[in-house]
Structures are given as structure tokens and as C-alpha cells.
């Protein structure tokens, strides 16, 4: 039995909860939440408490969250206090807004940063990742770490674990259709947002890891131009392809998060300095405008795989209505485009695997070396750890052939240089040529099929919900563009979203 004083407090809290229930947190956008803060209908602390309760209730089913930040409530209280005092940072859009970051993004706090692997549990990072520092500066509350495909899916290609699986959080579940692949590797980031366990999240992408889970969980994912967002403090695969981006329920929320995390970071200086020139004067928000599709030239390649719809009648039938919507909203669809020497160009994509294993070893070793403390200090240590703790890591079921292949590389040698040259050529004579020759604003691809085209050249893409199959499985449409084309892609994605509003929340109650 609780002493009477506690019962009184409990009652008070219940009364408060009833009072705030006039504001519905589920599916609330950042604008909705900021308005509720402003009109004293909601506090950041109540919001965080709501999500923590939801995580306790839903996460045993969905496995989307790997750790909750023990300091989240305290951070929310600080945000509430700052709002009361009208402190300057309380006018930021992300002020008091809870964010989950993928577990390969470092936070220098009580949270672990492990890429889902026990090998990195209790490792101590030197500092917050560049993007986390920017989130904190904008007043966001770090709610915790989102689950992911272990090592961002760079452990095995022969027997890859199920998408989203990691040794610590186990296998996540698609909230729309439990038997459907939730895709990876930013699986938890997508599922947690889709199921309203958090307002917004961050994912990372090397090839498909933001676009694919966004598509398969009916949320919006922005894969920024490589270098537009800092990768410092992110457990790497390849600095040439890795990028950090938002996963959210709406394009607007995703753009608010993007706006907060872009820009120069001295710990990822070369890439972020170079890409800073792409940040538009006055920021990204003005590109959330009505009529954004008007006059946009969109490439639709019906025939080609990777660049389009691969002559796939079923997918084409599904997307004809989307093409109509784009046309009705003023876009100019350029169809039946050709890629000269397509077969030779697509064969050069094979260089990706050769380049990635070599880059992974160099980048991971550099990350591990920089840790303040860690059970593992090199890729070789990680491999040894996985062997030693095979039971823990389920190594018998999920081998580490990519790790072994990476460990066998020796820097960027002759083979790697040739592979990298091929990738540059494939981009130059493939995607770049296609976009420039036809003056395209974006290439439209189904699902995350275009991810490799965008990955190998460091190009941006946005995935927007595009509907549901007969079985209820969600799917997305992807708009990809040249480096720095985020403002245009945002106008297109926002235009499509406003014209369709496909996203609907999963029917959680039926599954619980
Ligand atoms: C980080 O990992 C350690 C070791 O397992 C654990 O005790 C601690 O609770 C973890 N931190 C959080 C915030 O879960
Ligand atoms: C994603 O969802 C589609 C159905 O919409 C499914 O066919 C596919 O297997 C899922 N996973 C991936 C990796 O695309
Ligand atoms: C797509 O289908 C058309 C018509 O059947 C065919 O001519 C073309 O070669 C196919 N393209 C590819 C890339 O498979
Ligand atoms: C580069 O591309 C050429 C032509 O497609 C191919 O023959 C060669 O094997 C590729 N090299 C690498 C390292 O991928």
C-alpha cells in the first residue's frame, strides 16, 4: 500500500494526465507539439513521460529501442524551465522535442553507443557525435538509442541476419504486418517513429539504410548529400558513402531535423566544409511550400533496374496513380529515358563491395582508436570478440564474413583504386549524365530501389509514404537528385505528401 501522501501525488498526476489528454500526442507533428507547449497544454516532461510509457508497453513487441536515456526526464524539465523563462534557445523548433538516435551515433552520456554489438558495450566515446551536439544545441531531448541491424548491416553478406537484428535488442517487428521485413539498417529509427514511441529520429545510410526502412514502415526518410551532416562520432562503414539523416512521420518534421543537424563540424572538417556550400541561404524551411511540384522535371525510367522500375509490370501498375498525381500537381514527367552503355555502367557498381570492405577497416579502426575506453580497439579485436562470445553474438547463425573480408584488406591498393574509379565513372556516365542531359530535378524510383545509384555518388534522396499493399504492407516512393539538391527534393517530396497524405499509423491495438 502507498502512504496517503503518495496516493495524493498519484491522483494529482492522473488529473494532470487527463488535463493533457485534450492534446493527442500520437501522430502529433513538431508544430502541433510546439503549439501545445506554447498554450500550456503540454510540457516537455509530460511528452517524454508519455513516450517512455509507450516504449515500456510497445518495445517488448517491436524491439525498436535499444536504450532509454535515464536523463531524458531531467533534460525535458530543463527545456520546460527554459521555455518558462523565455530563454533564447526555446524558440528553436526542436526545443523540448524528444529524439531517438540510431545506436551507431555517439552520445557522451549514460547511453552506450554499440551499433547493437556487445563488443562495444561499456565503450566510452570521447564526445557527442557532431549531429548530437547540434541536436542538443537546438534544445532537443535525447530520449535514447534506436535499434539497428548490427554494425549497420556490415557483418555478413553470405548469411545476413534478419534486417534490423542485433545481438543486444534482437529482431525487430514491422508494426504494419508482423511477417513483413521492416528493412534495415535504421530499423529502430523507422519503427519507433511509425509507432509513436518518439517524435522524430536519426538514422544513417551507407546504401539504403534510411530509404529502405522508411519505405517499409510508412515514414519519411531524408538521406542527405554525403558531408552535409557530420559523420564524426558515428560508427562508420565508409566516409565516402556514410551520411546521417532524419526519419520522421512528415516531410516537415524531417526538414526541421535536417535544418538542425546540417553544417560544418571540425571533427569531420573536409567533408562538412565542402558540403556547407549546399546549405541554402535562409535555410530549408522555405522549401516547404505549396505548389512545390509545379514545373519540376521528374525522370521516370520504366525499363531500367536500379534507376527505375525494371520493366516490372506489377510495380508499374502500382505507381501509375502516383505518376498521375505528380502530373496533376504540375510536374513534368520525362519518361522512357535511355542510359547509354547501361550494362557496362551497372557492372561497375560491383566496385562498391570492393571499396566498402577496405574503407570499413580503415574507418572502424580509426573510430575504435579514438574511444576513451573500449573492450575492443580494432577490427581484429571485434572479430576475436565475436569468436570468443559466439553464444552471445549468435555467431553460429550469423557469420562475420564481411568483417573477415575487411580484415584481409590492406588499405586502398590497386584493386580498390580501380573499384573507386569505376564507381566515379558509373556516377558520371550514369546518374549525373542522365540528370544533366535531361535537365531533371529528380529521378523517381520505387521503394528504395534507387539507393545504390544514390549511394555510390554520395547523392541525396527522400523517401515518402506512397501507400499500402493489399496485405497492409507499406511502401514508399523515392526522389533522388544531384549533390546539394535537397531544397528541390524537399519541394517535390512535400508536394507529393501534401497531395496524397498516404501515411496512416499502424493499428497497434490489434497487435498488442
Ligand atoms: C550501458 O551498458 C551498461 C552495461 O551493460 C549498463 O549497465 C547501462 O545501464 C547501459 N546504459 C543504459 C542507459 O542503458
Ligand atoms: C519491404 O517491403 C516490401 C513490401 O512492400 C517487401 O516486398 C520487401 O521484402 C520488404 N523488405 C525489403 C528489404 O525491401
Ligand atoms: C524492357 O522491356 C522492353 C519491352 O519489352 C524491352 O525492349 C527492353 O529491352 C527491356 N529493358 C530492360 C532494361 O530490360
Ligand atoms: C571496373 O570495371 C570494369 C568494366 O566494367 C571491369 O571489367 C572491372 O572488373 C572493374 N574493376 C573493379 C575492381 O571493380
Amino acid at each position: 500500500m502507498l502512504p496517503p501522501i503518495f496516493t495524493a501525488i498519484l491522483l494529482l498526476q492522473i488529473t494532470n494526465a487527463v488535463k493533457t489528454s485534450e492534446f493527442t500526442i500520437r501522430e502529433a507533428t513538431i508544430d502541433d507539439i510546439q503549439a501545445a507547449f506554447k498554450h500550456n497544454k503540454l510540457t516537455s516532461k509530460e511528452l517524454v513521460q508519455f513516450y517512455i510509457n509507450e516504449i515500456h508497453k510497445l518495445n517488448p513487441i517491436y524491439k525498436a529501442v535499444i536504450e532509454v536515456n535515464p536523463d531524458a526526464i531531467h533534460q525535458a524539465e530543463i527545456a520546460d524551465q527554459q521555455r518558462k523563462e523565455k530563454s533564447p534557445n526555446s524558440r528553436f523548433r526542436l526545443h523540448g522535442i524528444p529524439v531517438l538516435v540510431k545506436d551507431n551515433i555517439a552520445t557522451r552520456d549514460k547511453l552506450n553507443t554499440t551499433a547493437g554489438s556487445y563488443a562495444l558495450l561499456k565503450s566510452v566515446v570521447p564526445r557527442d557525435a557532431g549531429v548530437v551536439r547540434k541536436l542538443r544545441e537546438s534544445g532537443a531531448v535525447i530520449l535514447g538509442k534506436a535499434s539497428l541491424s548490427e554494425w549497420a548491416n556490415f557483418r555478413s553478406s553470405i548469411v545476413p541476419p534478419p534486417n534490423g537484428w542485433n545481438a543486444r535488442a534482437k529482431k525487430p517487428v514491422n508494426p504494419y504486418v508482423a511477417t513483413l521485413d521492416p528493412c534495415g539498417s535504421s530499423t529502430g529509427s523507422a519503427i519507433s517513429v511509425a509507432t509513436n514511441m518518439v517524435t522524430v529520429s536519426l538514422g544513417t545510410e551507407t546504401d539504403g539504410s534510411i530509404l529502405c526502412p522508411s519505405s517499409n514502415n510508412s515514414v519519411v526518410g531524408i538521406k542527405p548529400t554525403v558531408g552535409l551532416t557530420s559523420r564524426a562520432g558515428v560508427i562508420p562503414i565508409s566516409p565516402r558513402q556514410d551520411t546521417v539523416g532524419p526519419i520522421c512521420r512528415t516531410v516537415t518534421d524531417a526538414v526541421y531535423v535536417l535544418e538542425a543537424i546540417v553544417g560544418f563540424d571540425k571533427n569531420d572538417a573536409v567533408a562538412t566544409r565542402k558540403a556547407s556550400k549546399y546549405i541554402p541561404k535562409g535555410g530549408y524551411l522555405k522549401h516547404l511550400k505549396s505548389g512545390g511540384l509545379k514545373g519540376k522535371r521528374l525522370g521516370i525510367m520504366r525499363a531500367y533496374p536500379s534507376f527505375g522500375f525494371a520493366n516490372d509490370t506489377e510495380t508499374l501498375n502500382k505507381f501509375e496513380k502516383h505518376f498521375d498525381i505528380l502530373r496533376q500537381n504540375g510536374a513534368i514527367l520525362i519518361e522512357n529515358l535511355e542510359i547509354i552503355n547501361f550494362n557496362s555502367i551497372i557492372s561497375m557498381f560491383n566496385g562498391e563491395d570492393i571499396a566498402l570492405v577496405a574503407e570499413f577497416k580503415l574507418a572502424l579502426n580509426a573510430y575504435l582508436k579514438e574511444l576513451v575506453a573500449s573492450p575492443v580497439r580494432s577490427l581484429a579485436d571485434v572479430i576475436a570478440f565475436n569468436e570468443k562470445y559466439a553464444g552471445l553474438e549468435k555467431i553460429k547463425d550469423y557469420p562475420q564474413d564481411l568483417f573477415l573480408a575487411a580484415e584481409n584488406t590492406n588499405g586502398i591498393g590497386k584493386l580498390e583504386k580501380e573499384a573507386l574509379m569505376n564507381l566515379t565513372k558509373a556516377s558520371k556516365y550514369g546518374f549525373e549524365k542522365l540528370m544533366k542531359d535531361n535537365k531533371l530535378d529528380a529521378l523517381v524510383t520505387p521503394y528504395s530501389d534507387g539507393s545504390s545509384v544514390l549511394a555510390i555518388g554520395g547523392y541525396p534522396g527522400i523517401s515518402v509514404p506512397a501507400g499500402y499493399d493489399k496485405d497492409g504492407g507499406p511502401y514508399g516512393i523515392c526522389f533522388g537528385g544531384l549533390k546539394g539538391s535537397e531544397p528541390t527534393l524537399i519541394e517535390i517530396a512535400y508536394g507529393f505528401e501534401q497531395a496524397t497524405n498516404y501515411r496512416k499509423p499502424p493499428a497497434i491495438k490489434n497487435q498488442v
Side-chain angles (χ1 to χ4, degrees):
M1 276 301 288
L2 292 168
I5 173 80
F6 281 91
T7 317
I9 290 170
L10 215 64
L11 275 175
L12 203 72
Q13 282 176 345
I14 290 166
T15 322
N16 278 342
V18 171
K19 189 179 132 252
T20 56
S21 75
E22 63 191 68
F23 173 76
T24 311
I25 294 173
R26 276 192 194 86
E27 295 295 293
T29 64
I30 291 175
D31 282 337
D32 294 337
I33 291 168
Q34 290 299 351
F37 284 163
K38 193 173 159 199
H39 298 115
N40 297 317
K41 284 186 182 158
L42 179 74
T43 64
S44 188
K45 184 177 176 180
E46 286 166 340
L47 184 62
V48 166
Q49 192 61 66
F50 172 87
Y51 287 136
I52 290 175
N53 291 345
E54 290 298 291
I55 290 169
H56 284 150
K57 207 167 71 193
L58 301 178
N59 204 50
I61 305 164
Y62 298 117
K63 314 275 198 311
V65 181
I66 195 161
E67 283 184 9
V68 172
N69 187 356
D71 293 330
I73 295 272
H74 180 61
Q75 285 176 18
E77 286 169 342
I78 293 172
D80 288 332
Q81 189 59 33
Q82 288 172 335
R83 191 178 314 110
K84 220 181 270 171
E85 291 164 359
K86 297 193 169 20
S87 88
N89 72 345
S90 66
R91 67 188 191 312
F92 292 137
R93 288 247 176 20
L94 292 191
H95 187 264
I97 301 289
V99 183
L100 279 171
V101 304
K102 189 176 176 180
D103 186 43
N104 59 351
I105 301 175
T107 54
R108 181 88 157 109
D109 53 15
K110 292 185 182 133
L111 293 160
N112 296 287
T113 303
T114 70
S117 169
Y118 283 112
L120 280 174
L121 198 58
K122 295 180 184 165
S123 68
V124 179
V125 298
R127 64 190 81 85
D128 280 339
V131 290
V132 169
R133 186 174 46 79
K134 285 184 193 286
L135 284 178
R136 291 198 207 271
E137 282 166 6
S138 62
V141 172
I142 305 299
L143 182 63
K145 292 285 170 80
S147 189
L148 74 170
S149 309
E150 195 178 296
W151 297 101
N153 204 24
F154 206 74
R155 177 171 164 155
S156 171
S157 62
I158 298 171
V159 192
N163 273 320
W165 179 91
N166 66 73
R168 293 186 60 210
K170 310 303 177 204
K171 187 172 170 292
V173 171
N174 187 303
Y176 287 88
V177 181
T179 49
L180 182 75
D181 185 348
C183 207
S185 68
S186 306
T187 318
S189 309
I191 293 176
S192 61
V193 165
T195 54
N196 284 278
M197 287 192 244
V198 70
T199 312
V200 293
S201 74
L202 287 189
T204 67
E205 171 148 343
T206 306
D207 187 340
S209 281
I210 289 175
L211 298 175
C212 191
S214 297
S215 172
N216 275 27
N217 294 286
S218 207
V219 287
V220 174
I222 301 184
K223 181 233 175 206
T225 303
V226 168
L228 189 66
T229 52
S230 168
R231 290 82 45 80
V234 178
I235 300 172
I237 294 176
S238 156
R240 188 179 47 77
Q241 290 187 199
D242 293 351
T243 183
V244 182
I247 298 183
C248 305
R249 286 182 293 271
T250 66
V251 174
T252 303
D253 282 357
V255 170
Y256 287 169
V257 175
L258 183 73
E259 178 91 357
I261 61 171
V262 294
F264 178 73
D265 176 10
K266 69 175 189 325
N267 297 311
D268 185 13
V270 176
T272 55
R273 183 177 291 120
K274 203 169 156 202
S276 285
K277 65 169 182 280
Y278 297 132
I279 301 171
K281 277 209 179 67
Y284 291 96
L285 305 190
K286 63 174 186 288
H287 297 283
L288 295 164
K289 59 177 197 188
S290 61
L293 280 168
K294 212 168 258 166
K296 293 293 192 305
R297 292 173 62 85
L298 305 180
I300 312 274
M301 303 196 75
R302 290 171 184 269
Y304 293 95
S306 297
F307 291 78
F309 292 79
N311 271 345
D312 173 1
T313 322
E314 195 188 320
T315 302
L316 277 164
N317 287 342
K318 212 152 82 176
F319 277 78
E320 289 301 343
K321 65 172 178 290
H322 303 111
F323 301 161
D324 285 339
I325 289 162
L326 294 168
R327 284 190 203 98
Q328 283 155 16
N329 285 275
I332 302 153
L333 270 50
I334 321 290
E335 302 183 61
N336 303 316
L337 297 167
E338 290 286 319
I339 294 184
I340 305 157
N341 295 328
F342 176 76
N343 287 334
S344 142
I345 284 169
I346 210 74
S347 78
M348 290 193 270
F349 278 56
N350 293 337
E352 188 182 7
D353 294 340
I354 297 168
L356 287 182
V357 281
E359 291 166 334
F360 175 69
K361 182 181 179 184
L362 295 171
L364 184 70
N365 282 341
Y367 174 89
L368 296 174
K369 204 167 282 169
E370 238 214 315
L371 293 172
V372 174
S374 176
V376 288
R377 283 295 181 183
S378 64
L379 175 58
D381 287 352
V382 177
I383 291 169
F385 180 97
N386 284 344
E387 273 164 14
K388 186 167 171 200
Y389 296 101
L392 200 61
E393 286 273 325
K394 283 222 182 354
I395 194 171
K396 248 178 108 194
D397 300 339
Y398 307 129
Q400 48 178 345
D401 49 276
L402 280 175
F403 282 2
L404 296 170
E407 186 56 22
N408 270 332
T409 64
N410 203 355
I412 305 297
K414 191 165 171 283
L415 180 72
E416 288 78 14
K417 279 187 187 139
E418 188 185 311
L420 288 168
M421 185 89 79
N422 277 1
L423 295 180
T424 305
K425 268 198 228 163
S427 289
K428 187 172 171 201
Y429 299 111
F431 188 60
E432 295 251 4
K433 185 166 161 54
L434 180 76
M435 295 294 290
K436 287 175 180 164
D437 285 359
N438 298 287
K439 298 191 170 58
L440 299 180
D441 290 298
L443 184 68
V444 181
T445 46
Y447 323 122
S448 59
D449 288 8
S451 73
S452 293
V453 170
L454 303 176
I456 61 168
Y459 306 114
I462 305 184
S463 179
V464 184
Y468 303 86
D469 288 327
K470 278 196 198 77
D471 66 355
Y475 64 92
I477 188 169
C478 178
F479 304 101
L482 293 173
K483 282 183 191 171
S485 65
E486 281 84 356
T488 304
L489 298 182
I490 288 165
E491 290 178 10
I492 295 164
Y494 183 69
F496 179 81
E497 178 198 49
Q498 296 303 301
T500 56
N501 270 313
Y502 276 119
R503 178 181 156 76
K504 49 178 194 250
I508 302 248
K509 283 207 181 84
N510 301 341
Q511 293 195 17
V512 176

